[in-house]
Amino acid sequence: MPKNTYYHYDHEACTFVEVKPTASRYLKHAAAVLVVALVIATGATWYLWSTAQTPLEISQQEEIERLRTQLATTTGQVASFTEQMQALEAKDRDLYRALLGAEPISDDVRQVGVGGARDESLDRYSLPTSRLLRENARTSNQLERQIALQSQSFEDLLALAERHKERLDQTPAMLPTQGRLTSGYGMRRHPIFRARKMHNGVDFSTPVGTPVYATADGVVSFRGVSGGYGNLLRIRHAKSNRETRYAHLSRFAPGVSEGSAVKRGDLVAYTGNTGLSTAPHLHYEVRDLGGEPLNPVTTFAPGVTPQEYQDLVEQAAEDNPMLGGT
């Protein structure tokens, strides 16, 4: 039986009669085929339109990817700078502030402002982009705060270091003259009374006229004759709470008078044999501003070699008699 041939049963003739196609039937069939074809064509067109990209769209997508890569690189660099700032903070705490005796910055102060509110405006971007933007904002804000806090810390430390330098400059730290240390600090035999008596300084045996130098920055508080000291020079070192005394002098250096400012190493006088003195020498004392005597030998280390310092310590420990009555 040929395909697409249809029959119907004729009851009057009691037989099957072939159905002959009509023009309307052909039209209906063609219309159905056309509708199906139109649906398929429309779907294909929509698919191609939705998936295809114009050259401009392709360029914009490449730009977005490049910017995203650059943003990730920048975020990593900022994080590295943050780590370097943390190392600098540790040095600030463990070295600079420790050396200068400054209180460390508390962790509470360093953490103030870290974190911050979540930026909801970034939610409209893709997840990878919003994550990068948030991480970059967080690390940038943290770095900005660290820099501001560390800058202020360094300004404070600079001011403290300046004050510390003034204190160091006014701290006795050298030998006052050239000569052998013949009598140390402590109980010694008095050269006149022949009894053990407290020796508040040290004696350097020197020829008369040997130069005497200021052992620290300060201001001359006394220049003149003072009992058993003979010709005495006193220099006040206010920043370090110290006073140095130079006794039994033969004369004072030109320009050295009460109120004169002197620097460490300045020539201030010459050794002699004045006052209660049994031989030419310099009697040198270091006291606090309350008048309490201190062992001058402990101040000599910066001005001598380790071996010289050890020799001075040993000489000062020997039970040698004083050369003067002070």
Side-chain angles (χ1 to χ4, degrees):
M1 178 182 297
K3 291 184 178 180
N4 299 326
T5 301
Y6 301 93
Y7 296 86
H8 71 89
Y9 184 75
D10 188 342
H11 293 281
E12 292 181 358
C14 295
T15 185
F16 287 96
V17 179
E18 182 180 357
V19 177
K20 299 297 184 182
T22 62
S24 61
R25 186 175 182 82
Y26 278 117
L27 288 176
K28 289 180 180 179
H29 181 73
V33 172
L34 182 61
V35 168
V36 172
L38 183 60
V39 170
I40 293 174
T42 301
T45 301
W46 177 85
Y47 174 78
L48 292 174
W49 177 83
S50 62
T51 57
Q53 290 181 309
T54 66
L56 177 60
E57 290 173 331
I58 293 174
S59 176
Q60 290 175 337
Q61 186 62 36
E62 291 177 351
E63 182 178 347
I64 290 172
E65 290 301 323
R66 178 164 294 185
L67 289 174
R68 184 179 293 166
T69 300
Q70 184 63 38
L71 180 59
T73 301
T74 302
T75 300
Q77 291 173 339
V78 172
S80 176
F81 294 152
T82 300
E83 291 179 359
Q84 295 178 37
M85 282 300 302
Q86 290 172 344
L88 196 57
E89 289 172 358
K91 185 174 290 186
D92 177 293
R93 179 187 65 249
D94 300 333
L95 179 59
Y96 304 138
R97 289 183 173 271
L99 286 175
L100 294 174
E103 289 293 328
I105 299 175
S106 68
D107 291 337
D108 291 340
V109 172
R110 291 194 181 278
Q111 293 302 317
V112 170
V114 175
R118 185 175 184 274
D119 188 354
E120 301 293 342
S121 66
L122 301 180
D123 290 342
R124 67 179 183 272
Y125 301 123
S126 66
L127 185 59
T129 300
S130 63
R131 283 178 177 173
L132 282 173
L133 288 172
R134 285 195 174 91
E135 179 64 18
N136 185 264
R138 185 189 68 79
T139 52
S140 296
N141 290 339
Q142 182 179 356
L143 182 60
E144 182 179 1
R145 170 162 180 76
Q146 286 178 304
I147 291 174
L149 189 62
Q150 198 58 55
S151 296
Q152 183 60 53
S153 175
F154 280 148
E155 289 181 9
D156 295 342
L157 288 174
L158 186 61
L160 185 60
E162 186 62 31
R163 294 194 296 272
H164 189 65
K165 179 179 182 300
E166 292 178 355
R167 185 168 65 251
L168 289 177
D169 288 343
Q170 294 197 23
T171 300
M174 62 176 285
L175 294 171
T177 191
Q178 293 296 319
R180 186 173 186 275
L181 193 153
T182 54
S183 183
Y185 174 87
M187 299 299 294
R188 292 291 184 269
R189 293 190 303 275
H190 196 282
I192 298 174
F193 302 118
R194 305 298 178 180
R196 291 183 66 81
K197 185 178 183 295
M198 180 63 187
H199 191 219
N200 293 323
V202 294
D203 293 340
F204 291 92
S205 178
T206 62
V208 172
T210 302
V212 176
Y213 303 98
T215 58
D217 295 1
V219 176
V220 176
S221 58
F222 179 83
R223 193 202 83 157
V225 179
S226 178
Y229 283 111
N231 288 332
L232 174 68
L233 181 71
R234 287 165 40 188
I235 301 177
R236 180 182 176 88
H237 315 282
K239 297 292 185 181
S240 65
N241 189 38
R242 296 288 183 269
E243 179 186 78
T244 51
R245 299 183 180 186
Y246 313 78
H248 308 302
L249 304 171
S250 60
R251 59 192 173 96
F252 304 98
V256 175
S257 58
E258 291 185 14
S260 298
V262 297
K263 293 288 187 181
R264 177 184 290 129
D266 283 354
L267 175 65
V268 293
Y270 298 88
T271 61
N273 192 25
T274 59
L276 296 179
S277 173
T278 58
H281 74 287
L282 172 70
H283 174 79
Y284 173 69
E285 293 183 12
V286 178
R287 295 176 180 250
D288 64 25
L289 295 185
E292 188 68 24
L294 307 170
N295 188 350
V297 175
T298 62
T299 71
F300 295 154
V304 298
T305 66
Q307 184 58 51
E308 290 172 335
Y309 177 74
Q310 185 61 37
D311 292 342
L312 287 170
V313 171
E314 292 175 358
Q315 292 171 26
E318 294 176 0
D319 191 12
N320 296 321
M322 310 179 199
L323 293 179
T326 50

